[in-house]
Amino acid sequence: MTTETNTSRPTHRIFAVTKNGKKKFWQPIGALWAHNDGKGFNQTLDYLPLNNAEIVIREISEDPKVEDNGGAQ
């Protein structure tokens, strides 16, 4: 089993998405990046999701506006 990891910056952000009526709240809770061998991922979670939150993983964008809401409409 290989435990090689990519030491570069994370490529994806992990969000906990909750709904209140029609409005969705995107709370960043961690990050994810691929292993160097391409066969797995490492993730870090800063918080655990609560209240039946949906876990969403999105590619990190260069556009800060997209990062603010997880890139979703």
Side-chain angles (χ1 to χ4, degrees), residues 20-54:
N20 185 1
K22 291 184 179 182
K23 188 153 176 81
K24 292 183 179 181
F25 297 95
W26 290 69
Q27 178 65 41
I29 62 169
L32 179 124
W33 59 98
H35 289 173
N36 284 338
D37 65 5
K39 295 184 179 183
F41 296 91
N42 276 11
Q43 70 176 4
T44 60
L45 291 175
D46 299 320
Y47 305 99
L48 295 176
L50 300 174
N51 303 326
N52 297 320
E54 180 180 352

